[in-house]
Amino acid sequence: MLKSNQPIGIFDSGIGGLTVAEAIHKLLPQENIIYFGDTAHTPWGNQSATAIQYYASRISQTLLDHNCKTIVIACNTASATAFDAVQRIVKDHSILFNVIDPVIEYLVSTHRGKNVGLIGTKQTIKSQAYLSRLTKHTDDINLQALATPLLAPLIEEGFSNTTSANEIIDHYLSNSALQNIAALILGCTHYPLIKQQVANFFGAKVDVIDSAELMAQVVEKELKNRDLLNIGNQGQCTFYVSHDSEFFNLTAKQLFPGDIKLQTYPLWE
Ligand code: DGL
């Protein structure tokens, strides 16, 4: 039986999922968090579905071994390609979340009758995970998808604020696939780290949507419904990476200014 004082497990290929972890930590500061960034294999978005399923399954097993009451797949690529594989491991030992469903729920309630753009990794776009989930609710949203495979590696390596990054961002966002949109889904958890640049490109007329806060609200609601919200003091945040990464450490310290634990976890050795 799950208990409220068990930690929340969160994972991604690298720093992207930190945007989701930060939103969860802000909304639920009393929760203990265990984060796993697979920096040994990042980026995931250009790799085969089989490879991503393998990484996601092993990491989820590790989070289960750390007794996590929930596992948040804080990665669109893994949510799109590995959800079922992870679910087979997690079973009812933990509560599993993906980052796509909260965005679909938001879209259906706010953007019916509109053109909505989607940017994400090659695997996320290829999987058509957004389209297939969306059409279960409505056929009244026209999804216009574009793979933007250079963005996650640029962000992961700390290049998001360079002139070259801005040129690449502008190049992608000028693509004809993203014309006449009312909203743009940042379909990769790395992209909130360039949200300002994206918002500047489109101006106020486009609703730039990311999954971080929406995901945090869904986690809160589910834990509350199951009476699993932790009560008490500020939670402990622990961050594991599968390979040393200075930029990961820097980003984690920036997003989590309190006392955090950062550690290399040799999962693949
Ligand atoms: N942040 C992840 C996503 O949402 C992974 C990006 C990558 O590693 O390519 O898709």
Side-chain angles (χ1 to χ4, degrees):
M1 194 159 114
L2 296 173
K3 297 208 181 70
S4 55
N5 61 358
Q6 289 176 246
I8 291 182
I10 305 173
F11 76 90
D12 179 44
S13 66
I15 64 171
L18 291 175
T19 59
V20 177
E22 183 199 20
I24 292 176
H25 181 59
K26 278 197 173 143
L27 191 64
L28 303 169
Q30 71 289 0
E31 296 292 336
N32 299 304
I33 288 177
I34 298 182
Y35 184 93
F36 195 103
D38 192 13
T39 45
H41 294 126
T42 192
W44 283 353
N46 300 332
Q47 301 190 45
S48 69
T50 311
I52 299 159
Q53 286 157 11
Y54 177 69
Y55 305 148
S57 300
R58 284 282 302 273
I59 294 166
S60 298
Q61 184 58 58
T62 305
L63 294 172
L64 286 179
D65 295 344
H66 283 77
N67 206 24
C68 291
K69 65 183 170 188
T70 76
I71 294 180
V72 180
I73 309 180
C75 171
N76 288 262
T77 308
S79 295
T81 59
F83 184 81
D84 293 345
V86 172
Q87 183 70 81
R88 282 194 289 276
I89 301 236
V90 171
K91 297 190 183 92
D92 58 355
H93 304 311
S94 184
I95 311 164
L96 183 61
F97 296 96
N98 73 79
V99 279
I100 298 177
D101 288 339
V103 172
I104 298 292
E105 235 177 83
Y106 173 80
L107 278 181
V108 171
S109 65
T110 52
H111 287 298
R112 279 180 191 261
K114 308 257 178 69
N115 293 331
V116 174
L118 164 68
I119 54 174
T121 67
K122 278 187 183 169
Q123 274 293 1
T124 298
I125 301 304
K126 186 178 156 213
S127 72
Q128 300 208 324
Y130 276 88
L131 186 63
S132 57
R133 282 161 158 96
L134 194 58
T135 47
K136 281 187 190 142
H137 298 275
T138 178
D139 53 9
D140 198 21
I141 291 175
N142 176 36
L143 200 62
Q144 305 175 188
L146 178 72
T148 50
L150 291 175
L151 295 184
L154 272 176
I155 297 164
E156 183 71 30
E157 300 300 335
F159 282 79
S160 26
N161 284 315
T162 61
T163 315
S164 328
N166 282 325
E167 277 171 13
I168 293 169
I169 294 168
D170 284 2
H171 179 83
Y172 279 139
L173 300 182
S174 310
N175 192 289
S176 58
L178 303 179
Q179 298 305 301
N180 302 319
I181 50 172
L184 177 70
I185 306 164
L186 301 181
C188 170
T189 53
H190 281 70
Y191 301 173
L193 296 165
I194 55 162
K195 190 169 184 175
Q196 199 51 55
Q197 285 131 289
V198 176
N200 290 346
F201 179 91
F202 287 109
K205 60 186 192 304
V206 172
D207 177 14
V208 181
I209 305 162
D210 74 76
S211 58
E213 275 170 35
L214 297 171
M215 184 77 260
Q217 286 160 13
V218 168
V219 171
E220 181 191 39
K221 193 171 159 202
E222 188 67 24
L223 290 178
K224 201 171 180 181
N225 283 346
R226 296 186 186 219
D227 207 12
L228 284 173
L229 281 173
N230 199 22
I231 21 181
N233 299 331
Q234 176 90 2
Q236 166 80 47
C237 298
T238 304
F239 299 85
Y240 294 124
V241 285
S242 51
H243 190 268
D244 274 344
S245 162
E246 248 177 64
F247 192 64
F248 183 98
N249 292 351
L250 192 77
T251 312
K253 281 180 191 153
Q254 266 168 9
L255 297 180
F256 294 79
D259 186 22
I260 59 169
K261 202 172 127 194
L262 279 160
Q263 216 171 297
T264 306
Y265 193 104
L267 181 62
W268 315 109
E269 285 163 25

